[in-house]
Amino acid sequence: MRDPKFRGSEFFDPHDAVQVKYEMLRRVSIDKVSVTEASDEYGVSRPTYYQAKVNFDMAGIAGLVPTKPGPRGPHKIDDKVLAFLQAQLAPGEPVRARELAKLLRQELDIELHPRSIERVLKKRHVNIAATAACPIQPSTIASQYEVLRKAALGAALPLMARSGLMLFLRRGMWGWVQALTAAASTPREQNYPSSFACPLHGGHSAVVHVLATIAMSTNDRRSP
């Protein structure tokens, strides 16, 4: 890890796996560095980067949560192979397993039956989709994160975002997102101000403020 933001910062935590992956993807999508440069900066391989990108595109922040170790399918389909296969897929397009098997043989010199490819990609899609239910738009989460991020880098922190920052520091990025989701899902009939009952739309929305009520019972920050 060579990103200087993750050295000596309370906000940028090198042990927060979700935030580290998100910042790596952000380096390419927002800072416009190359995939090779970002991968090198974060100490991962390019297939690992592409795997994180595919997971994020499919499930948002939930796709960056580390999965439990264990069998993933045929022994030939490791993370490198899975990342290669998923990088060939286009959203909304059917899986062309025979073409993927041919590409896999040409590019990685790996023989894999098309039916095995279909099974592992289907299983991977179902597993990620199962964790992706979130009533908040990804753009909303991103805008809220940018408010906290800018404050960590020296910008003024809006008053209504202070409790959100406290929660982020206590629970890390994934815990913060889960709390945002819980706040956005709170029925209107509960005794919260009406401005808290709707999902966020602006970077300084008051929804972040309600997270203080959730933060009080949380544990110290941990990576998932």
Side-chain angles (χ1 to χ4, degrees), residues 136 140-141 143-144 180 184 195 198-202 205-208:
I136 306 177
T140 296
I141 294 175
S143 67
Q144 292 295 333
L180 276 177
S195 61
C198 300
L200 311 179
H201 293 288
S205 173
V207 174
V208 178

Side-chain angles (χ1 to χ4, degrees), residues 120-180:
V120 76
L121 289 177
K122 181 178 179 180
K123 181 179 179 181
R124 182 66 172 169
H125 177 77
V126 169
N127 287 345
I128 292 177
T131 67
C134 178
I136 306 177
Q137 292 296 319
S139 60
T140 296
I141 294 175
S143 67
Q144 292 295 333
Y145 178 75
E146 289 299 315
V147 171
L148 304 184
R149 188 181 188 277
K150 289 176 182 178
L153 294 174
L157 178 67
L159 177 63
M160 300 305 286
R162 291 178 182 174
S163 55
L165 178 59
M166 178 183 68
L167 177 61
F168 193 103
L169 295 177
R170 289 176 63 94
R171 295 191 61 187
M173 190 165 190
W174 178 231
W176 172 75
V177 170
Q178 289 178 304
L180 276 177

Side-chain angles (χ1 to χ4, degrees), residues 4 42 104 114 183 196:
Y42 281 79
L104 198 60
F196 293 165

Side-chain angles (χ1 to χ4, degrees), residues 60-89:
I61 298 295
L64 303 182
V65 178
T67 57
K68 295 180 180 180
R72 293 171 179 250
H75 69 281
K76 291 183 180 179
I77 305 183
D78 56 14
D79 287 339
K80 179 181 178 181
V81 174
L82 185 58
F84 175 83
L85 292 172
Q86 290 181 312
Q88 314 307 314
L89 302 180

